[in-house]
Amino acid sequence: ADFYVKDKVYLTSGIGALNRTLDKGSMDVVVNTINAMPVDDRFVPQYNTYALNAYNSLTAGNFSWYVEGAYKTKEAINDYNGNLMNKAGNVLFSTVSYARKGFGISLMGKRTENFIMRTSTSQTEANSGMINWQPIIAQIRPQRLIARYMPASQDLSEMAFNGTINASPNEDMDFNASYTHINTLEGEKLYREALVEGNIRSIPKTLIDIGVQYMEYNQDFYQFKPGVPLFKSWTPYTEITYSFTDLKSGKLQLQYMDTKQDYGSWLFVALEFSIASKISFAISDMYNIAPAKAGTDKKHYYNFFVAFTEGAHRLTLAYVKQVEGINCTGGVCRYEPAFNGLKLGLTSSF
C-alpha cells in the first residue's frame, strides 16, 4: 500500500505470508536421518513451515529508507556440516540513502539467522529448490581477478554491512568509494573490502575506468578449503574504452592482484573489439606472475572469445584455459573447475 504523508514524503508498506508443506517422500528422508542421529539430538519434524515478512519504504525528498524483516517457524534444516537441526529463522535487511546533484551516499545492512527455505530438506546444492532469495551485501565486481573471490550471501549466520559514497564534480568524471564488512553472527571474519574507483570522460571518444581494491576473504568458509590462511590482496586495475566510430569500439583491461595466498599474484590483460551490437572479439591472458607455492612454475591462462548477436539470440564460441575458482558473468557468479578446451554457448530471450 502507498501512503502520502505530506509534501515529498511517501510510504510504501506491505506484508506477506507463506505456508510450505513437505511431501511424504521428503519427510521420509528427514525422519530416517533423525532416527540415525544420537538420541539427545533427535527432534520431531514438522510437515508445515510458516513464514511472514513485512517491509516499508520511506521517501522524503532526497532521502530514502527501506527496511524489511522476515521470520519463519521451526523446521529441519542442515547446518554447515550437513547435520539436521530444528531451528526457526529470521532475517533483517535495510538500506538508507541520500542523493543530490553530484553527490550520493548509501548504507546497506543485513542480519541473517537460520533463514533457509527450500522445497525439500534434501535439496542442498547451490540454488536447488530455493523458495526465498536474499540480496548479497558485497558489490559484484566485473574485474576478472577480483571476481574470483566473491562472498556468497549466507543463510545460516551472517552480519553484513556496506557503505558507498559517489561524487561527480563535473560531467567529465565521477568517483566512488565503498567499504564492505561481513562476519558470522559468532564474530568470525568472513570478508572485508575497501575500494576507490574513478571514471574519466574528458578525453574525446575515450572512457577511462581506474581503481584499486583491498580485500580480505575467508577461503576456509566460502570455498571449503580447511586450514588455509585468510586471503589478503591489493588489486589496482584500469579499463580503457575507445570509440573508433559510432559502430566500432575497442577496450583494454589491465589488472594486477598482489597476494601471498592461494595461487599467488596475478597479471590480467584483455583486448576486446566490438562492431555495433552484432559481433565482438576478445583475447585475454591471466598470468600467474608470482606463484605462492615455492617451486611452482609461472603459467599463462589464455582465452580467445567471439560472440555474434542477432535480435534476442546470442551465440558465443571460446577457447578457454582457466584455473579453478569463481567466475562471474552477467552478474551471476558460480564456481567452475579447472578447464582447457572449447566452450559453445547459445542464449535466447523470448
Side-chain angles (χ1 to χ4, degrees):
D2 296 329
F3 303 94
Y4 170 76
V5 180
K6 60 180 183 178
D7 186 33
K8 296 184 178 180
V9 179
Y10 303 90
L11 292 174
T12 301
S13 304
I15 59 173
L18 176 145
N19 171 33
R20 190 222 58 204
T21 303
L22 287 180
D23 61 274
K24 186 178 184 302
S26 297
M27 178 56 77
D28 288 343
V29 173
V30 172
V31 170
N32 291 335
T33 303
I34 293 174
N35 288 337
M37 294 165 54
V39 175
D40 292 341
D41 295 333
R42 295 178 186 176
F43 57 90
V44 178
Q46 305 294 320
Y47 269 101
N48 293 301
T49 299
Y50 304 94
L52 175 71
N53 85 309
Y55 63 89
N56 183 72
S57 180
L58 166 67
T59 302
N62 296 328
F63 172 84
S64 66
W65 175 36
Y66 176 81
V67 61
E68 180 177 1
Y71 173 82
K72 72 179 185 68
T73 58
K74 286 184 177 182
E75 67 165 324
I77 60 175
N78 292 287
D79 64 14
Y80 290 120
N81 297 315
N83 301 315
L84 280 186
M85 55 183 183
N86 193 33
K87 296 285 186 178
N90 62 84
V91 60
L92 180 65
F93 173 75
S94 184
T95 63
V96 179
S97 63
Y98 173 82
R100 59 177 175 79
K101 185 178 180 179
F103 178 79
I105 183 171
S106 64
L107 304 174
M108 182 185 304
K110 181 161 69 81
R111 182 191 185 278
T112 306
E113 183 176 11
N114 300 324
F115 202 85
I116 302 174
M117 293 199 72
R118 298 179 184 263
T119 55
S120 171
T121 306
S122 60
Q123 293 175 306
T124 59
E125 296 297 326
N127 295 324
S128 177
M130 291 294 294
I131 297 175
N132 66 308
W133 175 81
Q134 293 193 42
I136 182 173
I137 295 298
Q139 298 180 30
I140 296 178
R141 306 297 181 189
Q143 292 77 22
R144 178 67 182 90
L145 300 182
I146 296 175
R148 285 177 47 77
Y149 302 97
M150 284 304 303
S153 182
Q154 297 301 304
D155 297 319
L156 289 178
S157 176
E158 184 181 64
M159 180 71 78
F161 167 83
N162 171 267
T164 301
I165 297 175
N166 297 285
S168 299
N170 55 54
E171 294 182 353
D172 291 330
M173 61 183 64
D174 57 73
F175 303 93
N176 78 80
S178 69
Y179 175 71
T180 303
H181 185 107
I182 304 176
N183 283 352
T184 65
L185 297 179
E186 296 74 30
E188 181 181 2
K189 180 186 289 189
L190 298 184
Y191 185 77
R192 302 287 188 272
E193 183 203 52
L195 181 138
V196 179
E197 184 179 57
N199 295 285
I200 303 170
R201 296 174 291 274
S202 57
I203 303 175
K205 298 184 178 182
T206 305
L207 171 62
I208 300 175
D209 177 22
I210 186 168
V212 61
Q213 184 223 41
Y214 173 73
M215 181 194 335
E216 296 182 5
Y217 180 89
N218 191 328
Q219 281 191 288
D220 186 344
F221 187 90
Y222 287 118
Q223 297 183 352
F224 310 106
K225 296 183 177 181
V228 300
L230 188 70
F231 179 87
K232 299 179 181 181
S233 67
W234 284 94
T235 307
Y237 62 88
T238 187
E239 180 177 294
I240 303 171
T241 303
Y242 181 79
S243 299
F244 298 99
T245 67
D246 291 340
L247 300 178
K248 298 178 181 179
S249 65
K251 182 186 296 183
L252 168 66
Q253 296 182 58
L254 294 172
Q255 304 165 29
Y256 178 75
M257 175 175 280
D258 180 58
T259 180
K260 300 295 191 297
Q261 290 78 46
D262 202 17
Y263 283 86
S265 298
W266 294 95
L267 175 64
F268 178 80
V269 181
L271 284 170
E272 181 180 339
F273 180 74
S274 299
I275 303 175
S277 58
K278 293 289 186 180
I279 304 175
S280 62
F281 306 89
I283 179 173
S284 66
D285 181 18
M286 196 169 123
Y287 180 41
N288 194 191
I289 193 169
K293 295 181 180 179
T296 301
D297 293 334
K298 301 177 181 180
K299 293 182 179 179
H300 292 270
Y301 294 86
Y302 298 107
N303 190 324
F304 302 91
F305 175 88
V306 60
F308 177 76
T309 302
E310 180 63 39
H313 311 289
R314 188 168 189 261
L315 179 67
T316 62
L317 176 65
Y319 166 74
V320 177
K321 182 180 180 182
Q322 68 181 32
V323 67
E324 58 87 21
I326 297 174
N327 277 327
C328 294
T329 304
V332 178
C333 299
R334 60 184 178 272
Y335 178 86
E336 295 183 359
F339 178 79
N340 184 12
L342 293 175
K343 286 187 176 182
L344 178 67
L346 175 62
T347 302
S348 297
S349 302
F350 301 96

